Amino acid sequence: MTVNDDSFTSWKNREEIAESMIPVIGKLHRERDVTVLLHSRSLVNKSVVSILKTHRFARQIAGEELSVTDTLPFLQALTTLDLGPSQIDIGMLAATYAADERGLSVEEFTAEAVSGATGANKIKRGDGRDVVLYGFGRIGRLVARLLIEKAGSGNGLRLRAIVVRRGGDQDIVKRASLLRRDSIHGQFQGTITVDEAKNTIVANGNEIKVIYANDPSEVDYTAYGIKDAILIDNTGKWRDREGLSKHLRPGIDKVVLTAPGKGDVPNIVHGVNHDTIKPDEQILSCASCTTNAIVPPLKAMADEYGVLRGHVETVHSFTNDQNLLDNYHKADRRGRSAPLNMVITETGAASAVAKALPELKAPITGSSIRVPVPDVSIAILSLRLGREATRDEVLDYLRNVSLTSPLKRQIDFTTAPDAVSSDFMGSRHASIVDAGATKVDGDNAILYLWYDNEFGYSCQVIRVVQHVSGVEYPTYPAPAV
């Protein structure tokens, strides 16, 4: 047998193991509200090849490839436990078990590591929480995809309605088509049907009412059976408390804005300050995509090295706010053709840091350049540190943060020497540290942070909504603090 035959046989064996994992992962998710992760990446509804690629990706982070033969025993051990709703990272289970020297069996170690989600400790499964989308643009449709994907057993978030202005004939058909196909993020994973007579979109069995209204005051959500719902405003039309309060109609309990909030509206970056949300707070903001990209690594660096001052330069993909061709725009430069120009513009991300990370007293400045790509941006974060460090030290630290810290869902890490922006389309992290581009000289550090300003940000929005709804389930093994 040749070496190539050996490699192919090994691949086929691993394919067979990954195939056997799929029904186990699906059953845990549907019947117990357990999401199986691998280094913070969900394995729910993933293909055989996707599961194998996710295992291989661990090589970039941990230095060596993780095999399905390593993780399968932990997945099997989970099926023997009385699990409640939770997220369980079998990659972390395998890694922490390898470092454990007590001689426990896989079953014993797994039971101990996830004990907070078993027996008397497990969370009771709730009835779910209604969600309404106000607006159905770029972020709205991606949030809809995520809500439908995460519907799972039906005990979590339930997308009940979308509120839009009627756009003309076949409005609902055209909106469903935009949900079904996306030029950047590809096809919707599942089936979508439309009932024009009932103004309803059915996506993977989820019945979503399309409500036509020109203003929040026109809608009584209880008339559609919606109650205690979280409304996600992705229009950006209202950004202060007075404007967003218009959404607090019958059937709506809380309002989440997918843009920077103004005045006293809390700006929340999940992973950093989501635990400061007061239980009775009805209006909050998820800040901007760039704020979400820079605040987690900024917090990580401040915690370890201290930050005396910083500057962020964002090289940002163009957005619908710009013109395809030169035309009038209320801003000075955004009227110039987005696909043909680099456009200098402003960013509020630097000033927003103070809201999300008030304990950081260092002055942070910022500016932005819009460039001719449709998605994925990069933030160049230049920091003056509180102490000197080496490049290897900083990279080792950020790699560990991305693997084991409470920020591991926000911060990803790549060592790929040929990485470019399109490689990060669909990333669910708030930002990805580019190890190859990182520069450290004494007390000066420059971090290059990729981020999918559409999808990665939408994932952060969902995490905030899960938190305020009470369906943000704990992760095991618990991240290192």
Side-chain angles (χ1 to χ4, degrees):
M1 182 177 284
T2 67
V3 173
N4 285 339
D5 288 336
D6 287 341
S7 298
F8 186 66
T9 299
S10 174
W11 170 261
K12 299 299 287 185
N13 288 338
R14 284 181 286 135
E15 269 191 326
E16 184 177 359
I17 293 172
E19 193 173 56
S20 72
M21 297 171 79
I22 291 174
V24 179
I25 293 167
K27 189 173 183 179
L28 285 170
H29 185 58
R30 287 191 307 275
E31 297 184 1
R32 307 191 195 180
D33 272 359
V34 173
T35 300
V36 177
L37 309 173
L38 188 86
H39 288 312
S40 300
R41 289 164 169 78
S42 173
L43 297 183
V44 176
N45 292 328
K46 295 298 187 290
S47 67
V48 168
V49 171
S50 179
I51 289 173
L52 292 174
K53 285 180 69 175
T54 305
H55 277 75
R56 184 170 175 79
F57 181 82
R59 184 180 59 173
Q60 290 192 38
I61 303 175
E64 59 183 21
E65 186 171 343
L66 186 64
S67 173
V68 285
T69 59
D70 298 323
T71 57
L72 179 62
F74 296 94
L75 182 61
Q76 292 171 329
L78 292 177
T79 65
T80 67
L81 300 173
D82 180 26
L83 289 168
S86 57
Q87 299 185 104
I88 299 179
D89 195 320
I90 57 175
M92 285 302 299
L93 280 174
T96 51
Y97 179 70
D100 191 84
E101 299 178 347
R102 293 176 294 165
L104 299 176
S105 68
V106 167
E107 292 76 16
E108 291 169 335
F109 182 84
T110 301
E112 178 184 271
V114 303
S115 60
T118 60
N121 297 323
K122 67 182 182 182
I123 298 172
K124 292 182 179 179
R125 297 170 70 177
D127 295 328
R129 190 70 175 269
D130 290 351
V131 178
V132 172
L133 291 178
Y134 198 95
F136 205 47
R138 296 298 304 154
I139 299 302
R141 291 194 296 274
L142 291 178
V143 168
R145 285 188 174 199
L146 287 164
L147 288 168
I148 295 163
E149 171 195 302
K150 294 178 180 296
S153 64
N155 291 291
L157 301 174
R158 302 177 301 191
L159 177 56
R160 298 291 308 280
I162 297 161
V163 185
V164 292
R165 293 183 177 182
R166 188 180 291 275
D169 293 339
Q170 291 195 307
D171 180 274
I172 191 171
V173 173
K174 292 177 180 178
R175 293 187 189 278
S177 180
L178 286 169
L179 178 62
R180 184 181 290 114
R181 302 179 186 88
D182 190 281
S183 300
I184 295 170
H185 300 285
Q187 297 272 351
F188 173 80
Q189 296 300 304
T191 63
I192 294 175
T193 57
V194 175
D195 188 332
E196 289 188 80
K198 295 182 178 179
N199 285 341
T200 301
I201 296 172
V202 181
N204 290 357
N206 296 268
E207 292 191 4
I208 307 161
K209 193 74 174 179
V210 177
I211 301 171
Y212 293 106
N214 295 314
D215 187 81
S217 63
E218 298 178 8
V219 188
D220 178 356
Y221 295 95
T222 59
Y224 302 93
I226 296 169
K227 61 180 181 179
D228 298 326
I230 298 172
L231 182 145
I232 304 173
D233 183 332
N234 57 94
T235 68
K237 182 176 180 179
W238 304 278
R239 295 195 180 189
D240 58 13
R241 187 172 295 276
E242 181 182 1
L244 292 168
S245 294
K246 295 179 179 181
H247 290 304
L248 293 173
R249 305 280 299 154
I252 302 299
D253 180 54
K254 294 182 185 294
V255 179
V256 175
L257 170 67
T258 63
K262 296 181 178 180
D264 67 344
V265 174
N267 279 247
I268 304 300
V269 175
H270 191 276
V272 175
N273 68 336
H274 66 277
D275 56 355
T276 65
I277 301 173
K278 298 176 182 177
D280 61 348
E281 179 60 73
Q282 289 189 287
I283 295 173
L284 53 92
S285 155
C286 291
S288 71
C289 56
T290 301
T291 302
N292 276 266
I294 66 172
V295 167
L298 186 55
K299 173 176 169 52
M301 292 298 287
D303 287 348
E304 180 67 16
Y305 301 103
V307 171
L308 302 181
R309 65 173 178 268
H311 176 80
V312 60
E313 188 77 34
T314 68
V315 182
H316 199 291
S317 60
F318 62 77
T319 68
N320 272 331
D321 176 63
Q322 296 171 258
N323 292 332
L324 285 175
L325 295 172
D326 290 2
N327 205 350
Y328 173 80
H329 195 289
K330 63 181 180 180
D332 290 335
R333 304 186 203 236
R334 292 195 189 190
R336 303 298 298 277
S337 172
L340 298 178
N341 294 291
M342 293 189 292
V343 179
I344 297 173
T345 187
E346 71 283 346
T347 176
S351 58
V353 169
K355 275 193 167 185
L357 202 58
E359 64 270 24
L360 182 70
K361 304 304 180 184
I364 306 293
T365 57
S367 52
S368 180
I369 302 173
R370 296 287 179 93
V371 294
V373 294
D375 187 31
V376 182
S377 305
I378 190 167
I380 305 167
L381 187 58
S382 181
L383 302 174
R384 174 76 180 275
L385 304 178
R387 64 177 175 88
E388 293 192 351
T390 66
R391 182 174 180 273
D392 287 345
E393 178 190 349
V394 169
L395 288 178
D396 284 344
Y397 169 66
L398 291 175
R399 180 188 292 109
N400 288 329
V401 166
S402 74
L403 269 175
T404 63
S405 82
L407 291 170
K408 66 181 183 178
R409 287 201 289 170
Q410 282 70 44
I411 300 175
D412 203 359
F413 189 92
T414 182
T415 58
D418 55 350
V420 294
S421 61
S422 61
D423 296 329
F424 304 102
M425 283 185 182
S427 170
R428 294 178 181 241
H429 289 78
S431 62
I432 305 100
V433 176
D434 191 311
T438 300
K439 294 174 174 57
V440 180
D441 181 11
D443 61 355
N444 290 304
I446 303 176
L447 308 183
Y448 286 73
L449 308 166
W450 299 101
Y451 58 109
D452 185 328
N453 48 277
E454 291 188 336
F455 196 72
Y457 175 68
S458 296
C459 290
Q460 282 287 89
V461 172
I462 290 293
R463 290 171 189 136
V464 171
V465 173
Q466 287 177 316
H467 178 74
V468 298
S469 70
V471 297
E472 184 182 35
Y473 301 141
T475 301
Y476 299 96
V481 178

